[in-house]
Amino acid sequence: MSTATHHIVELTDDSSGTPVLSVFVRNGEVATIKVPLGTYKVNMAKGSRWYGETKLFGTYMRVAQGIAPLEFTAIRNPITGHNLT
């Protein structure tokens, strides 16, 4: 069994709960994505083997949810974002 840990990160709209995007990040890699302006809840899952969109990482998957919503804003042109590690 592989010991590499991969992640999937999902952003959902804070007010409606509608999924906005998800990104798969392989072990040791970095993902940089552009997110539409708004406020989102973050859900993350990690595991060593990917089984697909239905089972995700299977029975050994670990799941975490962000404590506070993340805001992506543009005030006077600078765009603010977030780094998740």
Side-chain angles (χ1 to χ4, degrees), residues 10-20 41:
E10 179 185 65
L11 297 182
T12 58
D13 183 89
D14 186 42
S15 59
S16 69
T18 303
V20 175
K41 291 180 182 171

Side-chain angles (χ1 to χ4, degrees), residues 1-8 24-26 45-62:
M1 181 175 187
S2 172
T3 59
T5 301
H6 309 294
H7 294 79
I8 188 158
F24 183 88
V25 184
R26 291 188 184 281
K46 67 180 181 177
S48 60
R49 184 167 179 190
W50 181 249
Y51 293 98
E53 291 183 27
T54 304
K55 293 184 180 180
L56 303 178
F57 295 106
T59 57
Y60 296 105
M61 174 174 62
R62 300 285 187 247

